[in-house]
Amino acid sequence: MNAPSTDLRQGAGVAVHAPGRLHLGFLDPSGTLGRRFGSIGLVVEGFETVVSLQPARRDEVGADPAASGAELERAVAWLQRLREETGLTNPLKLRLLRTLPVHAGFGSGTQLALALGRAFAACHGLQVDTPTLARWLGRGLRSGIGIAGFDVGGLLVDGGPSPDGAPAPLLARIAWPADWRVIVVLEPARRGLSGAQEREAIAALAPLPRERAAEICHQVLMRLLPGAAQADFAAFAAGLNVVQQVLGAHFAPAQHGSPWTSPAVARLMHWLREAPGAPVALGQSSWGPTGFAIVESARRADNLLAAARTAGVVDDALALQVVAGRNTGATLAAAP
């Protein structure tokens, strides 16, 4: 896997733009064959973290209005860890220019960590691959799609971390069809599970039966991936909907008995599922609250949203955005 390239000279400041991703589901969260998780993910346009790092006379840190100031503390801790790993301690000016929605299903922590790690490496002329940066910063312990998405974008499937703790290998990467669109449904006031709460919730769930995990893998291998590879939307949608239905039922006990973290998102998703016309592939990204509805064209997305608003199923608490899939990873530029 190739790291994002840059022609910046050593010692120059750098801004790294890291795209968000949607987590479309796990292959086998209970590890019925001894290997847990395995993830399906899609890198999307319209959501990104942007980190600027440049040499300075003394350390300076800050966040612009488009960034979460709460993320600055994590970024400073990761900067210290990078210095410990490399022994490079020269002063730097760190600025968060933009951040992904936090704990909302976009992989915000991993993308912030990798953007900072890549900026640090570029500033110092270090040749370090992304998996190494992830290991230094403690990312990718459960899923590998954030690491692969940072590098190459697209529709991704990983094989889950190995029982000995080795990172999840990337099994498949499919270029996302240009015409397909994703209706991203956010409820900014809510957050999904993370950290200790997430670990406790997973530990409390009953194991997913092997037959259900096998069904997920069958749908991914024979419907979802071939559908995306050949732009066969009906096949892709049928496969992803089965995956999300199985996982929604599995994780519902940790979400107050619902496949959805947000009741407002759930209401809109139920309406979209029953909407007449071409099929829709929908679900929740990770622990939510973000939901997604994938359709085969921008026109279909616009028509669905107009109809949903007319039907009164778009709650005022929701923020909606129609985006394309992104087939490239992070980009580097000179620091502003």
Side-chain angles (χ1 to χ4, degrees):
M1 191 185 306
N2 296 322
S5 61
T6 175
D7 57 3
L8 296 171
R9 56 187 173 79
Q10 182 176 348
V14 61
V16 179
H17 297 242
R21 59 92 181 123
L22 297 175
H23 193 280
L24 306 185
F26 287 122
L27 301 179
D28 186 358
S30 302
T32 57
L33 294 176
R35 193 175 191 107
R36 298 186 71 190
F37 303 115
S39 294
I40 316 152
L42 171 64
V43 180
V44 293
E45 299 281 8
F47 296 90
E48 65 178 4
T49 281
V50 185
V51 172
S52 170
L53 197 66
Q54 54 193 316
R57 293 186 177 183
R58 62 181 182 278
D59 278 345
E60 298 179 47
V61 298
D64 283 8
S68 167
E71 291 287 79
L72 197 56
E73 184 177 344
R74 286 210 290 180
V76 170
W78 282 327
L79 178 58
Q80 179 58 31
R81 194 175 303 180
L82 289 164
R83 286 169 163 168
E84 292 169 358
E85 289 286 348
T86 62
L88 299 169
T89 60
N90 49 300
L92 294 167
K93 180 180 180 180
L94 165 65
R95 193 156 199 89
L96 305 188
L97 305 180
R98 192 176 307 132
T99 52
L100 291 162
V102 178
H103 304 317
F106 291 94
S108 60
T110 293
Q111 296 311 303
L112 175 58
L114 295 180
L116 178 60
R118 180 57 57 213
F120 185 90
C123 281
H124 295 89
L126 300 177
Q127 299 299 315
V128 185
D129 63 21
T130 304
T132 298
L133 292 173
R135 178 172 54 80
W136 286 354
L137 299 174
R139 308 307 300 179
L141 301 179
R142 184 175 297 125
S143 168
I145 58 172
I147 299 170
F150 182 88
D151 278 346
V152 296
L155 176 66
L156 307 161
V157 177
D158 74 55
S162 66
D164 65 4
L170 180 64
L171 304 182
R173 187 267 181 189
I174 304 290
W176 187 252
D179 291 340
W180 294 5
R181 291 294 183 270
V182 185
I183 303 170
V184 181
V185 183
L186 304 98
E187 185 175 354
R190 286 183 180 265
R191 290 187 176 185
L193 294 177
S194 63
Q197 286 185 320
E198 179 184 21
R199 292 190 292 273
E200 291 169 5
I202 291 175
L205 291 171
L208 181 71
R210 177 178 292 193
E211 312 84 69
R212 304 306 280 157
E215 174 68 4
I216 291 172
C217 293
H218 196 185
Q219 295 291 334
V220 169
L221 186 61
M222 300 309 294
R223 270 182 161 175
L224 190 152
L225 289 178
Q230 296 188 320
D232 179 349
F233 185 78
F236 171 87
L240 182 53
N241 283 334
V242 172
V243 170
Q244 279 284 321
Q245 288 161 14
V246 172
L247 292 172
H250 175 67
F251 286 104
Q255 298 177 154
H256 306 290
S258 171
W260 312 94
T261 299
S262 161
V265 172
R267 184 181 180 213
L268 176 56
M269 290 293 155
H270 288 313
W271 186 91
L272 290 170
R273 179 179 285 119
E274 302 301 325
V280 179
L282 49 78
Q284 176 176 280
S285 180
S286 189
W287 291 102
T290 300
F292 60 83
I294 303 172
V295 295
E296 59 186 334
S297 70
R299 173 179 287 186
R300 172 70 167 152
D302 292 342
N303 289 344
L304 276 174
L305 290 185
R309 290 190 171 99
T310 299
V313 292
V314 180
D315 193 284
D316 289 343
L318 299 180
L320 310 182
Q321 190 166 334
V322 178
V323 301
R326 174 167 167 156
N327 289 318
T328 58
T331 59
L332 283 70

